[in-house]
Amino acid sequence: MWGRNVYDSISKFLQFQLTVNIVAVIVAFTGACITQDSPLKAVQMLWVNLIMDTFASLALATEPPTEALLLRKPYGRNKPLISRTMMKNILGHAVYQLTLIFTLLFVGEELGCRSGARNERV
């Protein structure tokens, strides 16, 4: 029961982390190529990784096993850690997050969002 719970927790953590890291890398690279300045600075990227790693690992490490885990067939030795369904979920969530982030980055001011990079004090 605990082994299946650990396997499921690792799979969920990996899915979450891959989604966050794919989005962060694409935003940093594409934003730097288009705007000539990275929308995420190095310190901001470190904070994103620190927060995402900490909260995801805490949430998944504290999930207790249930009796329903024993009703499922065990995974085989040759089963990949990232299944097709997980890959679809990772790519789908990444596309959603990228759409939202790029909308805010490139047309955010027209939508009424103010940039936090502007220094209003002189």
Side-chain angles (χ1 to χ4, degrees):
M1 184 165 57
W2 280 97
R4 292 180 187 186
N5 188 40
V6 168
Y7 185 87
D8 289 347
S9 293
I10 290 171
S11 294
K12 291 175 190 175
F13 178 77
L14 192 59
Q15 182 175 344
F16 179 78
Q17 283 298 101
L18 285 175
T19 304
V20 169
N21 287 325
I22 287 171
V23 170
V25 167
I26 291 174
V27 166
F29 180 75
T30 308
C33 289
I34 293 174
T35 64
Q36 302 300 320
D37 186 30
S38 179
L40 293 173
K41 306 294 184 223
V43 174
Q44 291 170 326
M45 288 284 279
L46 288 172
W47 274 108
V48 166
N49 282 328
L50 178 70
I51 291 169
M52 292 300 116
D53 291 345
T54 304
F55 290 143
S57 61
L58 282 176
L60 296 174
T62 56
E63 186 175 327
T66 61
E67 294 292 327
L69 290 172
L70 296 176
L71 300 176
R72 187 182 67 211
K73 289 195 307 187
Y75 296 118
R77 288 180 180 250
N78 296 329
K79 183 187 179 296
L81 192 57
I82 301 173
S83 65
R84 284 187 191 268
T85 305
M86 283 178 62
M87 188 55 72
K88 289 178 187 176
N89 287 339
I90 290 169
L91 294 176
H93 285 280
V95 166
Y96 170 73
Q97 291 176 20
L98 286 170
T99 303
L100 185 65
I101 289 171
F102 284 141
T103 300
L104 291 174
L105 183 64
F106 295 120
V107 294
E109 290 190 16
E110 285 111 30
L111 296 174
C113 300
R114 293 173 57 190
S115 174
R118 215 177 312 150
N119 188 0
E120 305 220 0
R121 288 186 183 178
V122 179

